[in-house]
Amino acid sequence: MSACGQPPHSSPATWQHGRVTAATHSTLFPQVPDSADAVLEGLDPEQREVATALRGPVCVLAGAGTGKTRAITHRIAYGVRAGILQPSSVLAVTFTNRAAGEMRGRLRQLGASGVQARTFHSAALRQLQYFWPKAVGGSMPRLVDRKIQLVADAAAACRIRLDRGELRDVTAEIEWSKVTQTVPADYAPAAAKAGRESPRDPAEIAQLYSVYEDLKRDRSVIDFEDVLLLTVAVLQDRHDIADQVRAQYQHFVVDEYQDVSPLQQRLLDLWLGERDNLCVVGDASQTIYSFTGATPDHLLDFRARHPGATVVKLVRDYRSTPQVVHLANGLLAQARGRAADHRLELISQREAGPEPAYTEYTDEPAEAEGAAHRIRELMDAGVPAGEIAILFRTNSQSETYEQALADAGVPYQLRGAERFFDRPEVRKAGVALRGAARFGGNDSLLDDAVDLPSQVRAVLSGEGWTSEPPAGSGAVRERWESLAALVHLAHDFAAAAPRATLGDFVAELDERAGAQHAPTVQGVTLASLHSAKGLEWDVVFLVGVAEGMMPITYARTDEQIEEERRLLYVGVTRARRHLHVSWSLSRSPGGRPNRRPSRFLDGLRPGSTGGAGRTAAGGAGGVERGVARTPAAVPRRRERTPARCRVCGRTLTDAGEMKLMRCEDCPSDMDEGLYERLREWRAVQAQRSGQPAFCVFTDKTLMAIAEAVPDDERELARIPGVGMRKLTRYGADVLALCAGRELGEDGERD
């Protein structure tokens, strides 16, 4: 059987057939191509365009299942193998540790080891840890993994009672505020402008947010959003550090670009500087995280910001059958809004399959039992449990399906629950395998083991693995499934590397654990539509597709409704071959049958009407070359002239001296009284915004202001370290202080 549970089939080694499907159905450890040209073999024409476009800005618009990860990893690998890119000069960023780990693994198998593939947070954290002593001094504050306890402490300090759901919602509001660079004082108007429905009174959330920031500062801790904020602050204020980072990384690749937040885009801009060696990949029709601050605007505006960009559209779908793709295209054909105007019409490259099945049930328990019964039939027919998924809109729907699957004797795994490598049985198995690899010669368990898989089976048999799964479900079955996943992985590893040792396998597990790249557990996946993004199965059950759940009740604006449609589109495109769509007329047995199928299915499911679609505006695949503007039309970059000391005339190279526009040891005409007033004002601003003082203005910038004593915004803007954002936010206060006017105790002008 192949990796996807389907019988292997032979097909010509051309891009039109089976080889390209390796984007999602490759063997786990393929052979490394023997040359740069070999890296390009098996790519379709558009994927090859991506792989060979190595200079200047490139935008890849990639529909679901079109092999985008394959295209960008082959692009990096081709550049490295051809000697065009230095591995250490490439930074590839994505949004999850799993995706980054998968990208590193693919690059390694393509012979492009040494390329940094990380999440935004991981890349920023490495830079912040390295430069903190130089930029700030001392040891960096501790990073907290989960902020919900800090939010609970802030609520207690404010004497505001929050239940578990409210704690989670307020935490999400704080995260949104930080990625959109909104300080506590600005939360209420910013939330109103963004159309957010605050879980509590906006004034209360602003208060909780402010106290949360105070608690972090008092406890010397930072959260994940602070990692990005502080890295941005360092790169903005320390040109020497920014130059050092830019000297290291010359080429950037950003996956899932439709999910970039304003803060992440700001960090990317600082990494790039004035260069344009950037390749972005995304699909506006898969924008489903706007509640976290993600926006497709950066993707949709890419051509406007980079007129010379090459745009490649990937529309050949190698994942799903024509029947599944037809439904996916039909959903988007009814969409409205800016993202819909740039949608891609997919073209299936797979053989025909069954039509999607639509089923109506009387109530939710009946719907769950119906899905479990059908899954039991599929498994009895030979479909592996690991190739089946049940996807729902909210996590609260999970319990009913867990019970139904358990009653049917169907193993399952909850996606979004405990991470695979954090499970106790997996940690114990890792210790046992590591010990056997080190002292295997003296381990009687391995006496009869003749190869790597038998060695792994022998070791894990001591941890509870058996050749036959235990009866029923529950904790015992879940532990067995975890160990069975390690056994399956050992077989795949040995098949790809016949000479691999137990030590090699342990090293592979360590690398996967670091990347949270878990092996497949042989159980039906239960997952929310949001957590299913980036995954795929042979069989997908989309359940609860009824009004009130899809779209969800609280989706009221046009933008929110369209995001719900995109969420359903993501769910549909997770299916390779079999797709089952269902809904129930009532929540519980005997309940009032007042539900109806989702409006998104109108005109698409048999017997329904309405939902006339439109011609896809951006449907066709292909390449759009950027038109280079004539030299007269290209704004010339201002050449940097050497900065010279305004006292002695010496060329300045130190970033601090360049801010002062004089040597450290040259005479200063600084207004000492103004400098102290500026420092006191800065302390108030830092406390209000919950940021370190240097994020408001550095000491050197304050000294430069106290020396120049600007009279107006134009003079203030000329001072290094005073950018447009800070001029807008702080300019009036600073000019008031420079004019000798007093500010109130809270830092506001009287």
Side-chain angles (χ1 to χ4, degrees):
M1 300 291 285
S2 68
C4 66
Q6 295 296 316
H9 62 279
S10 60
S11 56
T14 59
W15 60 264
Q16 295 98 329
H17 298 94
R19 292 292 178 87
V20 175
T21 311
T24 50
H25 297 88
S26 62
T27 56
L28 198 56
F29 306 97
Q31 296 298 312
V32 176
D34 57 9
S35 66
D37 287 341
V39 172
L40 302 177
E41 291 179 2
L43 299 181
D44 69 29
E46 291 79 29
Q47 291 172 341
R48 183 179 285 254
E49 287 284 351
V50 175
T52 54
L54 296 171
R55 300 293 186 193
V58 178
C59 179
V60 184
L61 302 176
T66 57
K68 68 178 179 64
T69 305
R70 177 181 176 85
I72 58 175
T73 51
H74 281 67
R75 177 184 191 270
I76 295 170
Y78 176 71
V80 169
R81 298 292 297 275
I84 299 170
L85 304 178
Q86 291 298 317
S88 60
S89 73
V90 180
L91 178 59
V93 287
T94 186
F95 284 82
T96 66
N97 286 322
R98 175 186 167 276
E102 180 184 354
M103 192 177 291
R104 285 195 296 271
R106 292 198 190 195
L107 289 170
R108 187 171 61 249
Q109 290 301 324
L110 291 169
S113 298
V115 172
Q116 290 292 311
R118 298 187 171 277
T119 64
F120 272 100
H121 285 88
S122 173
L125 181 59
R126 279 171 62 96
Q127 293 173 20
L128 194 61
Q129 288 171 330
Y130 182 81
F131 290 112
W132 188 274
K134 180 178 179 180
V136 183
S139 58
M140 193 178 118
R142 180 175 61 86
L143 178 64
V144 292
D145 288 334
R146 299 177 70 248
K147 57 175 67 68
I148 199 162
Q149 184 56 54
L150 272 170
V151 176
D153 293 345
C158 297
R159 298 186 177 181
I160 296 175
R161 297 191 63 177
L162 300 176
D163 61 29
R164 183 177 299 179
E166 289 175 319
L167 265 177
R168 186 173 59 248
D169 292 342
V170 170
T171 300
E173 289 304 292
I174 291 175
E175 290 174 348
W176 172 82
S177 299
K178 300 185 78 165
V179 301
T180 55
Q181 303 174 78
T182 303
V183 297
D186 296 339
Y187 169 76
K193 183 178 180 181
R196 295 181 72 83
E197 290 197 13
S198 300
R200 304 276 300 204
D201 181 87
E204 279 189 338
I205 293 180
Q207 181 187 7
L208 290 167
Y209 179 12
S210 179
V211 174
Y212 167 82
E213 293 295 325
D214 290 341
L215 288 176
K216 284 199 293 102
R217 185 170 54 254
D218 293 344
R219 299 176 186 182
S220 296
V221 298
I222 59 176
D223 59 29
F224 276 101
E225 288 71 40
D226 290 329
V227 170
L228 299 185
L229 284 164
L230 291 169
T231 305
V232 164
V234 168
L235 296 178
Q236 281 182 163
D237 287 349
R238 291 293 300 266
H239 299 296
D240 55 333
I241 292 176
D243 288 343
Q244 192 171 340
V245 172
R246 291 166 192 159
Q248 170 71 51
Y249 296 117
Q250 306 291 322
H251 303 269
F252 296 85
V253 177
V254 184
D255 194 10
E256 303 289 3
Y257 194 55
Q258 77 278 352
D259 292 332
V260 166
S261 70
L263 180 56
Q264 289 165 332
Q265 180 62 46
R266 179 64 185 137
L267 178 58
L268 179 61
D269 289 340
L270 287 166
W271 281 340
L272 276 166
E274 296 181 347
R275 301 165 301 173
D276 62 1
N277 280 327
L278 170 66
C279 175
V280 301
V281 190
D283 179 9
S285 297
Q286 296 188 69
T287 305
I288 59 172
Y289 298 109
S290 65
F291 60 90
T292 68
T295 170
D297 288 347
H298 305 299
L299 176 68
L300 299 178
D301 292 338
F302 192 84
R303 193 67 176 274
R305 287 184 288 117
H306 302 279
T310 297
V311 178
V312 185
K313 297 179 181 179
L314 304 182
V315 297
R316 303 175 200 264
D317 186 325
Y318 299 100
R319 176 189 298 159
S320 304
T321 63
Q323 288 73 18
V324 172
V325 166
H326 178 72
L327 175 58
N329 286 336
L331 281 171
L332 291 189
Q334 301 178 19
R336 297 291 183 270
R338 192 174 181 217
D341 290 339
H342 293 79
R343 70 196 181 282
L344 300 167
E345 185 161 5
L346 303 178
I347 304 170
S348 176
Q349 306 296 296
R350 295 196 61 179
E351 61 186 20
E355 290 290 339
Y358 300 87
T359 310
E360 183 174 275
Y361 293 92
T362 56
D363 52 62
E364 287 184 7
E367 186 178 3
E369 290 170 10
H373 176 72
R374 181 65 185 128
I375 289 170
R376 183 75 266 175
E377 291 179 339
L378 289 167
M379 292 174 59
D380 291 342
V383 178
E387 289 301 337
I388 304 173
I390 297 176
L391 306 182
F392 33 74
R393 176 61 180 86
T394 68
N395 288 318
S396 62
Q397 295 169 268
S398 171
E399 186 177 357
T400 304
Y401 289 89
E402 291 179 57
Q403 185 62 54
L405 292 175
D407 291 344
V410 174
Y412 64 86
Q413 58 168 328
L414 276 172
R415 180 159 184 83
E418 188 176 30
R419 296 190 297 187
F420 181 84
F421 288 103
D422 291 341
R423 298 176 186 175
E425 66 271 18
V426 175
R427 290 201 302 268
K428 284 184 63 181
V431 171
L433 289 167
R434 192 171 290 105
R438 190 175 302 167
F439 308 111
N442 300 319
D443 192 338
S444 59
L445 276 174
L446 303 183
D447 287 347
D448 298 326
V450 296
D451 55 15
L452 175 60
S454 60
Q455 289 177 329
V456 172
R457 290 195 300 270
V459 173
L460 296 186
S461 65
E463 301 298 320
W465 178 82
T466 57
S467 58
E468 293 295 326
S473 58
V476 173
R477 178 61 183 248
E478 289 177 8
R479 285 195 294 271
W480 183 89
E481 294 287 356
S482 297
L483 299 178
L486 296 176
V487 171
H488 287 304
L489 183 62
H491 279 274
D492 289 331
F493 191 72
R499 297 183 180 180
T501 65
L502 191 55
D504 296 330
F505 181 66
V506 169
E508 172 70 17
L509 289 181
D510 288 341
E511 183 165 342
R512 282 171 165 263
Q516 287 300 327
H517 184 192
T520 301
V521 176
Q522 284 305 309
V524 172
T525 299
L526 289 172
S528 70
L529 287 164
H530 282 101
S531 64
K533 177 77 166 62
L535 302 175
E536 59 187 77
W537 296 268
D538 279 351
V539 186
V540 168
F541 287 79
L542 289 176
V543 300
V545 188
E547 286 292 306
M549 194 61 74
M550 180 60 66
I552 199 76
T553 305
Y554 52 76
R556 297 188 178 93
T557 67
D558 290 343
E559 292 82 0
Q560 291 168 339
I561 296 294
E562 287 307 316
E563 181 145 339
E564 293 288 298
R565 187 193 307 276
R566 294 194 296 269
L567 191 57
L568 182 58
Y569 170 79
V570 166
V572 167
T573 55
R574 299 311 95 192
R576 298 192 193 112
R577 182 170 175 81
H578 297 275
L579 180 63
H580 299 260
V581 183
S582 64
W583 59 91
S584 55
L585 298 177
S586 67
R587 180 172 183 177
S588 54
R592 186 176 177 183
N594 57 357
R595 290 178 174 175
R596 73 175 188 86
S598 170
R599 71 191 76 170
F600 299 147
L601 300 178
D602 290 349
L604 299 175
R605 62 183 176 86
S608 64
T609 59
R614 302 174 295 166
T615 302
V623 182
E624 296 175 14
R625 305 283 181 197
V627 179
R629 293 176 292 183
T630 61
V634 179
R636 295 188 61 184
R637 292 176 179 169
R638 188 170 55 190
E639 295 292 331
R640 281 191 178 182
T641 57
R644 298 187 182 278
C645 174
R646 55 189 168 83
V647 179
C648 70
R650 183 177 67 85
T651 299
L652 302 176
T653 56
D654 178 76
E657 292 182 339
M658 291 170 68
K659 280 193 175 183
L660 295 174
M661 292 306 293
R662 65 171 176 81
C663 304
E664 285 276 9
D665 51 1
C666 279
S668 168
D669 53 357
M670 181 176 71
D671 183 331
E672 297 284 353
L674 174 58
Y675 178 66
E676 289 304 318
R677 291 196 300 275
L678 287 167
R679 282 173 56 86
E680 292 170 2
W681 166 84
R682 181 182 65 175
V684 173
Q685 297 300 318
Q687 184 174 16
R688 289 178 61 198
S689 64
Q691 296 178 319
F694 78 86
C695 289
V696 181
F697 285 120
T698 63
D699 286 345
K700 288 291 194 301
T701 299
L702 294 186
M703 291 174 67
I705 293 171
E707 289 183 354
V709 194
D711 290 327
D712 54 35
E713 286 191 351
R714 181 178 299 179
E715 292 182 9
L716 179 59
R718 292 198 189 105
I719 296 173
V722 182
M724 184 54 65
R725 184 176 64 85
K726 292 186 178 182
L727 182 66
T728 302
R729 185 165 184 79
Y730 303 124
D733 279 3
V734 171
L735 290 172
L737 289 169
C738 290
R741 296 199 296 274
E742 293 295 327
L743 302 183
E745 291 183 2
D746 60 355
E748 298 291 345
R749 294 180 298 284
D750 288 336

